Amino acid sequence: MLKFIRGKGQQPTAERQRLQKDLFAYRKTAQHGFPHKPSALAFDPVSKLMAIGTQTGAIKVYGQPGVELYAQHTLVNNSAAELNVQQLEWVYGTGRILSLTAANQLILWEPVGSTLVPIKTLPFDGKLKKVSSLCCSSNNDVLWIGTEGGNIYQLDLHTFTIREPVVYHDVVLEQVPPTYKLNPGAIESICQLPNAPNKLLIAYNRGLCVLWDFELSSVERAYIAPGHGQSVGLSVNMAGSEFSWYHADGSYATWNIDSAEQPQNVNYVPYGPDPCKSINRLYKGKQGSNDVVVFSGGMPRSAYGDHNCVSVHVSDGQKVCLDFTSKVIDFFVTFKDDSDVAEVLIVLLEEELCAYDLTDSNISAIKAPYLHSVHASAVTCNYLASQVTQSVYDRILRAGDEQDIDYSNIDWPITGGVIPDDAADSDKEDEAPGYEILLTGHEDGSVKFWDCTGVLLKPIYNFKTDIIFGNEHEYREDAAADVSAEHPNAEQLDEGEPPFRKSGLFDPYSDDPRLAVKKIALCPKTGQLIVGGTAGQIVIADFDDTSEAKNSLKYNSMNLVSDRDGFVWKGHDQLNVRLNLLEETARPLTENGVNITGVLQVLPPASITCMALEANWGLVSGGTAHGLVLFDFKNFVPVFHRCTLNPNDLTGAGEQLSRRKSFKKSLRESFRKLRKGRSTRNNPTNQVPTTLEARPVERQIEARNTDDGLGSMVRCLLFAKTYVTNVNITSPTLWSATNSSTVSVFLLHLPPAQTAATSVPPASGNAPPQTPRRISAQLAKEIQLKHRAPVVGISIFDQTGCPVDQLNAGENGTPPHRLLIASEEQFKVFSLPQLKPINKYKLTAHEGARIRRIHFGSFNCPISPELLQSLHANSPTKSTRSHGDGDGPANISGRSAAGRRELYHEMALICLTNMGDIMVLSVPELKRQLNAAAVRREDINGISSVCFTNAGEALYMMSSSELQRIALATSKVVQPTGIVEVEPLESEDLVLEANDEEESDKEKDVNIEVVNNGETKELPVATQRSKPVESSVDRNSLHLTNGVTNNNSPSRANETITSSIGDITVDSVRDHLNTTTTTLCSTTTEETVGRLSVLSTQTNQATTTVNMNDISDINIPNLMDLKSKSNTTETSTSSVVIKSIITSISHEKTNGESEIRTTRTTAHEESEF
């Protein structure tokens, strides 16, 4: 009892709390992959920026590689239409962009750091004012808005108000020829003439197009399509002399702007004469001396109406119809230097982004630097190889370069934005320790390698396993089909058939579900690759391109239930390896620099549930629902297998209620809980049980379903060289754990040559013996955890907290070693080799969550020598961590840095729960250092896809096609550093006019006044927005706050600034923080900006007095530089944009009570003292 009370009473010291803030911080950093459900596309040819909007309200802006900006629409009236982005329109050359939502709202966005901030909103009311088209003027002062009612409104972009004159459709009808007597319908397209900025081409829905002159407010010329075909849009050439007009019947024609006469081919239907679908977008340009027309749609309705196509037709007769596997959302064509020479075609599809070289007559594909479709085939598993060495990375790159040989070498046309020089330098420094490679396993049996070291997720190699399996005639047919698809100039089957070319990488269909990849292992130091599949197949490959002796493919199988006579497998059959690959005369299976050495088939052919690889020993271990196998892949011989099935349960179905003694007992426990609940309700003084009373009820979780009840399933495997037999000698071991909490330890006996493989080879240099000794294994120890929850992870770490499997070859780490067993309900630490319990942390009993995944991460930060000494005095284990001499992966050392700062390293345990929370725990104490709600608890796929790096980062699938990156360490933050320079609005002082909406914001909890004392010249907004924002946070509110953003936050608008400008003083901010009680609940994963509300943009001339004595109890790093000046009084002039963010963070106390702390932050971009 005294031990329990004393343990609860111990709190971290002030030094430790300060160190926690310097080591651990949760933030969402970068987003990789392809946006989910895209709905709009826009390109700025002046700034060279591309924007994509989605149905879920996200806007993503891309420039040159490294420039990425994110934005998120927010709900105001709880209508999904407020999030659906229907159109995007750039304010050309300024960096600002307009979005039109399905709720008929126009929002103006402006870049701030790596985010886009909404600065102005304009709602349209009324059915006739439903916006149908947008066009921004070349002077960036007016936005023309076409509506369903047929009118055109002018939006002043400086004041964001509608101004006169309005182009009404009845005024237009009065000036068109009398032969046109229809209601023209909605405005389908508006184009400003490049050579006459005061003239607009306006296309109405019902076959009418007019040239409107704003100076004369009249129609200069009218163009009438024959038959009044339904218009879709316009495209004007660079000279402003002609325009292409395309229609809903699949026809298009090029009209002369100076003549109202119809062109000769006015009814030209490219894929006629049969009825065709609508042409949705069309561009016309030049390819050399020939005209080139690029359009989407227009397919023959009956025969090919379901095809998603973009066609490229050249006037010399060459035609290509790019046939995609997903819906075409939109596309655009980039032109060379303000001419009509078409360069690059970029197509936004529902599931991917494709680019093509229009300067090449073959219209070859371009490999984009970003926006790659992670889910080209459905992702079935993720694996993150951390700290991959340079040699292995180079070998993977060489293999990938052979696959990219058919791509065009034209320069990527989207080059906007600026990457700061200091950011580029820091990226080079971060690449020194190693590369982070994400491997995604797919439903079609492929494994894709992605370089995720930096902001860009770059595909570097695609490894296919389906070429090994199947019958020979099937393989030949598939190969012939692939060859025919790759040659677009093959003869057409019919003259009327469009010249289809299979395009894009998205292929959601798999020929055989047994090919799906379930587990992957990659050795980061040797490049050995192991892939486990759904039908029990384990494919063994390597990237060793130097070995000369290459043999044909080898095959072996291991039967787990060979000694169980009554076992009957009722699942799918195993995959058949192609016989021609197994012949002795067959060539080695080498594909693009990767050697597939062999296939191991585990029988029964159940799915591989876990794998472990030890390349230095030449061993791989795999687990299924029936047991585990150990295989020597260097000599290609089995070592041993172990069946984990219950001898009394030969069906393989497992025990349904494996963790309950009986149904009678579970019923009895239910009635006890019911009676206890009634007694608590009747006795009001007993409503809140104390921790001591609640302690005997360790687990209150629902009964597990059938899937969890399979107790024989092997959940995790681990190779480790550790102390098992005695405390002096380390032995190679294999650890396995099952769903029923059975942990087995196998002692491995390696031949001397393979034991010495971790060191230098023998000096004699003799050839290896012809008959090498076999590797053997024996069961050494077995642990049965009482609570019988499934084990999700095993790790063995040394005294410094570094896992022994992360150490370099030949290193044993600092003794003693400890064993961590993580079940779904608790962590437990044992000593080695005695296996005595040292410590445990019951997560489910205390917090109701289950553990899903564990990983060890390295955290470091610079600290002062004084703090280091105080840590030494308080904790001897931390002293060891600070002064270790090893340079291994543990990185636990304290080396001197500039300015008498020491770099402090610490290893910690990262844990993911089934609620989507990520915790960081110290080892071996298992004290919680950080708790952050990372993934929405409803997002089951996101939680199951989380994978961690060794540097305290995480990646997870935020949708079927997107990856979200998370940083848990302050030392390693990968986020977009590129910025977009913003041109100032010409009359931004007009924003000072008070709007009625802002005055009615008194109900909100945001009320900050800034006094304007004089009119001064305003600083450019680009200068204000592009500077990084310094941040400081009140320590009193921070030390209980999980996931506080610090000064390298990705969203610079989301930061806390304490300063004295105008009437905002440090004391008023402090008082405001103490009295605020308003909370805001954020639930969406795309909420990267939070709720931002722009209150005012003002020019101030204020006298600021700073007295350091008044703020001594608040930590303000950006004011510490004024310490030497003591009391200062200065007059400053600055332009300030003030924004507010309200966040609510809920904390769990140790006794289970919930405490809500509300932090209120205000942010602006520049302040001068």
Side-chain angles (χ1 to χ4, degrees):
M1 178 68 75
L2 290 174
K3 180 181 178 182
F4 175 73
I5 295 173
R6 191 182 304 117
K8 289 292 181 185
Q10 289 180 349
Q11 295 295 330
T13 62
E15 291 84 1
R16 179 62 193 172
Q17 291 180 16
R18 199 184 321 156
L19 189 60
Q20 283 178 0
K21 295 169 195 169
D22 294 337
L23 284 172
F24 312 105
Y26 164 80
R27 76 206 73 180
K28 290 184 178 179
T29 52
Q31 295 175 9
H32 306 299
F34 184 77
H36 185 50
K37 295 183 179 178
S39 56
L41 175 71
F43 175 65
D44 184 353
V46 180
S47 297
K48 305 290 185 184
L49 294 170
M50 175 178 68
I52 296 175
T54 69
Q55 296 178 26
T56 56
I59 298 178
K60 300 193 175 183
V61 173
Y62 298 89
Q64 62 177 299
V67 177
E68 297 181 12
L69 283 75
Y70 311 133
Q72 175 65 39
H73 288 77
T74 54
L75 290 172
V76 178
N77 300 318
N78 286 330
S79 170
E82 295 175 312
L83 301 181
N84 191 344
V85 180
Q86 289 195 326
Q87 289 188 50
L88 292 172
E89 181 75 14
W90 283 99
V91 184
Y92 298 116
T94 64
R96 297 182 183 88
I97 190 170
L98 288 145
S99 67
L100 173 68
T101 66
N104 218 28
Q105 280 190 336
L106 267 178
I107 303 172
L108 180 63
W109 301 81
E110 185 172 281
V112 177
S114 60
T115 62
L116 290 170
V117 177
I119 57 174
K120 294 174 184 178
T121 303
L122 180 68
F124 276 82
D125 299 325
K127 186 176 181 181
L128 292 178
K129 289 190 177 181
K130 173 70 176 173
V131 178
S132 58
S133 60
L134 301 172
C135 178
C136 184
S137 69
S138 57
N139 296 330
N140 300 325
D141 56 346
V142 174
L143 175 74
W144 290 294
I145 302 171
T147 63
E148 299 279 359
N151 303 326
I152 295 180
Y153 298 87
Q154 297 190 75
L155 176 68
D156 192 323
L157 290 176
H158 298 148
T159 61
F160 222 65
T161 56
I162 301 295
R163 73 182 190 189
E164 295 295 332
V166 177
V167 182
Y168 293 103
H169 73 277
D170 49 357
V171 176
V172 172
L173 277 179
E174 293 174 356
Q175 305 178 46
V176 299
T179 54
Y180 187 89
K181 298 180 180 180
L182 296 174
N183 183 344
I187 304 288
E188 294 296 339
S189 183
I190 307 171
C191 291
Q192 183 183 24
L193 293 190
N195 56 348
N198 61 322
K199 295 180 182 180
L200 282 186
L201 266 175
I202 306 169
Y204 292 88
N205 180 266
R206 295 185 178 177
L208 174 66
C209 180
V210 299
L211 181 62
W212 180 267
D213 191 331
F214 269 101
E215 288 184 356
L216 304 176
S217 293
S218 63
V219 174
E220 181 175 322
R221 194 168 290 107
Y223 315 89
I224 301 174
H228 308 305
Q230 184 179 347
S231 302
V232 177
L234 299 172
S235 174
V236 183
N237 68 345
M238 289 294 178
S241 59
E242 61 182 22
F243 67 94
S244 298
W245 191 4
Y246 45 99
H247 304 277
D249 60 355
S251 67
Y252 75 90
T254 301
W255 295 64
N256 190 341
I257 287 182
D258 296 331
S259 172
E261 295 181 3
Q262 297 178 359
Q264 293 181 354
N265 58 346
V266 69
N267 289 321
Y268 175 62
V269 181
Y271 294 124
D274 295 334
C276 293
K277 298 189 75 174
S278 168
I279 292 179
N280 301 315
R281 177 82 67 189
L282 182 142
Y283 287 91
K284 187 175 181 180
K286 293 281 187 182
Q287 187 187 75
S289 59
N290 299 316
D291 291 336
V292 59
V293 177
V294 184
F295 61 91
S296 63
M299 288 290 107
R301 188 177 294 275
S302 59
Y304 306 106
D306 57 342
H307 285 242
N308 306 296
C309 298
V310 173
S311 302
V312 181
H313 289 189
V314 188
S315 59
D316 62 0
Q318 184 185 2
K319 297 180 181 180
V320 174
C321 184
L322 304 172
D323 189 9
F324 299 102
T325 52
S326 59
K327 180 183 175 184
V328 178
I329 303 297
D330 205 349
F331 74 92
F332 63 86
V333 174
T334 64
F335 297 91
K336 182 179 180 181
D337 300 332
D338 296 332
S339 66
D340 284 326
V341 178
E343 282 194 324
V344 175
L345 162 66
I346 293 180
V347 186
L348 175 67
L349 303 157
E350 198 170 30
E351 303 291 351
E352 61 182 324
L353 183 95
C354 297
Y356 296 89
D357 183 3
L358 294 178
T359 62
D360 182 8
S361 59
N362 292 326
I363 318 295
S364 54
I366 302 171
K367 190 171 183 179
Y370 36 60
L371 285 169
H372 296 283
S373 182
V374 179
H375 67 315
S377 173
V379 178
T380 52
C381 72
N382 292 336
Y383 177 81
L384 212 160
S386 201
Q387 295 177 333
V388 177
T389 61
Q390 183 72 46
S391 60
V392 172
Y393 182 78
D394 291 341
R395 277 182 276 167
I396 298 174
L397 276 188
R398 281 197 296 273
D401 288 342
E402 296 183 29
Q403 292 182 333
D404 296 343
I405 198 167
D406 294 329
Y407 282 107
S408 172
N409 294 322
I410 192 171
D411 293 335
W412 183 246
I414 302 168
T415 57
V418 178
I419 296 181
D421 295 335
D422 53 348
D425 296 339
S426 64
D427 288 345
K428 293 177 182 177
E429 294 173 3
D430 292 342
E431 291 177 4
Y435 294 90
E436 310 288 345
I437 295 182
L438 174 70
L439 290 85
T440 55
H442 297 269
E443 195 178 29
D444 61 355
S446 63
V447 176
K448 292 190 177 178
F449 290 68
W450 309 85
D451 179 7
C452 59
T453 312
V455 176
L456 297 179
L457 185 74
K458 294 181 287 189
I460 52 178
Y461 182 66
N462 185 14
F463 175 69
K464 298 179 180 179
T465 62
D466 58 346
I467 60 174
I468 308 172
F469 305 102
N471 298 324
E472 180 60 23
H473 67 277
E474 291 177 358
Y475 177 74
R476 286 175 177 167
E477 289 174 2
D478 293 342
D482 291 342
V483 168
S484 63
E486 289 173 2
H487 291 281
N489 296 326
E491 292 185 7
Q492 294 176 222
L493 299 176
D494 185 6
E495 290 183 1
E497 180 185 351
F500 289 121
R501 182 201 295 184
K502 185 179 178 182
S503 304
L505 300 175
F506 181 72
D507 184 10
Y509 305 108
S510 173
D511 297 332
D512 193 336
R514 295 175 297 173
L515 289 168
V517 176
K518 288 297 183 183
K519 295 293 172 184
I520 309 169
L522 174 72
C523 179
K525 298 180 177 62
T526 63
Q528 188 72 44
L529 175 66
I530 309 291
V531 180
T534 302
Q537 72 272 23
I538 297 178
V539 179
I540 301 163
D542 61 63
F543 287 90
D544 189 5
D545 50 5
T546 58
S547 60
E548 298 178 359
K550 294 179 181 179
N551 301 317
S552 59
L553 186 74
K554 297 178 181 178
Y555 176 81
N556 211 326
S557 64
M558 297 178 71
N559 194 340
L560 286 169
V561 293
S562 57
D563 55 345
R564 306 289 175 96
D565 297 333
F567 181 85
V568 178
W569 171 248
K570 299 179 181 178
H572 46 60
D573 294 333
Q574 67 186 70
L575 285 165
N576 297 318
V577 178
R578 290 195 289 118
L579 295 177
N580 65 316
L581 296 176
L582 300 176
E583 298 172 358
E584 293 184 1
T585 57
R587 292 187 303 168
L589 191 55
T590 301
E591 184 200 5
N592 298 324
V594 177
N595 312 315
I596 303 177
T597 55
V599 177
L600 169 65
Q601 179 65 53
V602 181
L603 300 173
S607 176
I608 301 295
T609 57
C610 60
M611 280 197 316
L613 167 68
E614 182 49 73
N616 292 318
W617 303 343
L619 292 175
V620 60
S621 180
T624 70
H626 308 111
L628 68 125
V629 298
L630 181 63
F631 189 76
D632 177 4
F633 62 81
K634 283 188 176 177
N635 301 313
F636 219 80
V637 290
V639 179
F640 88 103
H641 69 269
R642 177 181 174 84
C643 182
T644 55
L645 282 175
N646 184 347
N648 301 322
D649 179 24
L650 296 180
T651 63
E655 306 166 81
Q656 281 215 315
L657 294 174
S658 61
R659 307 202 24 245
R660 298 286 184 185
K661 294 296 183 185
S662 65
F663 176 73
K664 186 187 294 182
K665 184 179 178 184
S666 66
L667 206 60
R668 189 182 302 124
E669 289 179 0
S670 300
F671 278 112
R672 283 175 182 168
K673 292 175 187 175
L674 195 61
R675 284 198 298 268
K676 187 174 181 182
R678 286 175 180 168
S679 62
T680 304
R681 285 196 298 271
N682 295 333
N683 187 359
T685 60
N686 246 350
Q687 283 187 357
V688 183
T690 63
T691 308
L692 293 176
E693 290 173 343
R695 203 175 175 222
V697 186
E698 292 184 354
R699 283 180 282 107
Q700 295 190 14
I701 56 176
E702 65 276 6
R704 298 176 179 273
N705 56 25
T706 309
D707 296 335
D708 282 343
L710 193 57
S712 62
M713 179 185 292
V714 181
R715 287 292 292 267
C716 53
L717 293 164
L718 172 72
F719 285 107
K721 195 172 183 184
T722 185
Y723 304 93
V724 173
T725 54
N726 58 57
V727 295
N728 298 323
I729 301 175
T730 58
S731 308
T733 56
L734 170 65
W735 299 70
S736 74
T738 66
N739 255 352
S740 57
S741 280
T742 304
V743 180
S744 305
V745 189
F746 301 94
L747 193 61
L748 307 179
H749 301 282
L750 305 180
Q754 285 186 290
T755 306
T758 57
S759 60
V760 294
S764 59
N766 294 332
Q770 295 181 354
T771 57
R773 278 179 51 190
R774 296 279 296 270
I775 299 175
S776 60
Q778 67 182 53
L779 180 63
K781 297 181 181 181
E782 199 161 43
I783 308 169
Q784 178 62 60
L785 301 181
K786 290 182 181 179
H787 65 297
R788 292 184 178 272
V791 177
V792 297
I794 299 176
S795 186
I796 296 171
F797 56 92
D798 62 6
Q799 189 182 21
T800 63
C802 177
V804 295
D805 56 325
Q806 289 185 18
L807 294 171
N808 291 325
E811 296 181 0
N812 294 327
T814 309
H817 287 184
R818 292 186 175 92
L819 166 69
L820 170 72
I821 299 177
S823 70
E824 283 194 354
E825 298 182 12
Q826 68 178 22
F827 301 98
K828 201 162 188 178
V829 179
F830 297 87
S831 65
L832 287 174
Q834 298 87 358
L835 288 177
K836 290 182 179 178
I838 297 176
N839 195 7
K840 68 179 174 181
Y841 182 80
K842 295 185 178 181
L843 180 72
T844 306
H846 294 154
E847 303 183 21
R850 293 182 192 164
I851 302 162
R852 278 296 168 90
R853 186 165 286 114
I854 63 167
H855 193 85
F856 277 81
S858 173
F859 300 83
N860 59 70
C861 68
I863 62 173
S864 62
E866 295 80 10
L867 181 58
L868 192 60
Q869 290 178 2
S870 63
L871 290 170
H872 294 170
N874 293 330
S875 174
T877 58
K878 295 292 187 288
S879 169
T880 307
R881 295 178 187 180
S882 301
H883 286 294
D885 296 326
D887 280 337
N891 288 335
I892 297 169
S893 63
R895 65 176 186 268
S896 266
R900 294 187 70 250
R901 304 276 287 177
E902 302 231 357
L903 194 60
Y904 174 85
H905 289 257
E906 181 175 319
M907 296 296 293
L909 174 66
I910 308 170
C911 156
L912 169 74
T913 72
N914 67 331
M915 312 291 279
D917 298 338
I918 293 181
M919 294 192 304
V920 179
L921 303 173
S922 63
V923 285
E925 301 90 353
L926 298 180
K927 299 291 185 184
R928 189 161 61 182
Q929 310 295 309
L930 177 72
N931 188 15
V935 191
R936 287 183 299 118
R937 62 180 62 185
E938 302 88 8
D939 188 2
I940 300 173
N941 291 330
I943 294 173
S944 62
S945 65
V946 173
C947 45
F948 298 100
T949 72
N950 292 348
E953 286 189 291
L955 284 168
Y956 74 90
M957 301 285 293
M958 60 186 290
S959 68
S960 61
S961 58
E962 284 176 293
L963 286 158
Q964 174 69 58
R965 196 179 192 114
I966 291 172
L968 302 171
T970 58
S971 56
K972 183 67 182 295
V973 180
V974 176
Q975 59 188 3
T977 55
I979 59 173
V980 174
E981 295 181 346
V982 185
E983 286 192 6
L985 290 172
E986 292 182 3
S987 56
E988 204 165 30
D989 54 337
L990 294 173
V991 184
L992 296 176
E993 297 175 3
N995 293 333
D996 294 335
E997 295 178 1
E998 292 183 356
E999 290 179 355
S1000 65
D1001 275 347
K1002 293 177 182 178
E1003 293 178 357
K1004 299 182 181 179
D1005 53 347
V1006 179
N1007 191 6
I1008 301 176
E1009 296 181 0
V1010 179
V1011 180
N1012 184 13
N1013 293 330
E1015 295 293 327
T1016 57
K1017 187 177 179 181
E1018 189 178 47
L1019 292 174
V1021 178
T1023 309
Q1024 303 170 22
R1025 305 234 183 251
S1026 62
K1027 289 191 177 182
V1029 181
E1030 296 180 357
S1031 68
S1032 73
V1033 190
D1034 182 5
R1035 288 200 181 277
N1036 296 326
S1037 63
L1038 272 193
H1039 101 262
L1040 283 175
T1041 302
N1042 296 324
V1044 173
T1045 306
N1046 69 359
N1047 55 0
N1048 48 6
S1049 166
S1051 53
R1052 296 175 184 174
N1054 280 1
E1055 306 201 19
T1056 306
I1057 299 186
T1058 308
S1059 177
S1060 301
I1061 294 184
D1063 288 338
I1064 305 175
T1065 64
V1066 174
D1067 292 332
S1068 66
V1069 172
R1070 183 171 54 189
D1071 296 338
H1072 185 66
L1073 286 172
N1074 293 334
T1075 57
T1076 304
T1077 57
T1078 308
T1079 60
L1080 168 71
C1081 297
S1082 301
T1083 56
T1084 58
T1085 53
E1086 293 92 357
E1087 215 169 304
T1088 56
V1089 181
R1091 179 168 296 183
L1092 290 161
S1093 52
V1094 178
L1095 297 183
S1096 59
T1097 304
Q1098 299 195 7
T1099 306
N1100 306 321
Q1101 184 174 5
T1103 301
T1104 304
T1105 302
V1106 178
N1107 189 345
M1108 297 304 294
N1109 296 327
D1110 293 340
I1111 54 174
S1112 58
D1113 58 334
I1114 299 179
N1115 175 35
I1116 308 175
N1118 55 341
L1119 292 182
M1120 289 300 123
D1121 297 336
L1122 296 177
K1123 191 91 175 181
S1124 58
K1125 297 182 180 180
S1126 186
N1127 301 335
T1128 61
T1129 302
E1130 292 187 23
T1131 301
S1132 65
T1133 302
S1134 63
S1135 179
V1136 184
V1137 176
I1138 301 173
K1139 302 177 181 65
S1140 74
I1141 308 118
I1142 312 152
T1143 59
S1144 172
I1145 302 161
S1146 178
H1147 307 277
E1148 293 284 336
K1149 290 187 176 179
T1150 54
N1151 60 2
E1153 296 178 1
S1154 177
E1155 177 191 17
I1156 295 180
R1157 281 201 172 241
T1158 305
T1159 60
R1160 169 70 172 277
T1161 64
T1162 62
H1164 65 80
E1165 273 59 46
E1166 184 177 8
S1167 63
E1168 299 178 1
F1169 287 95

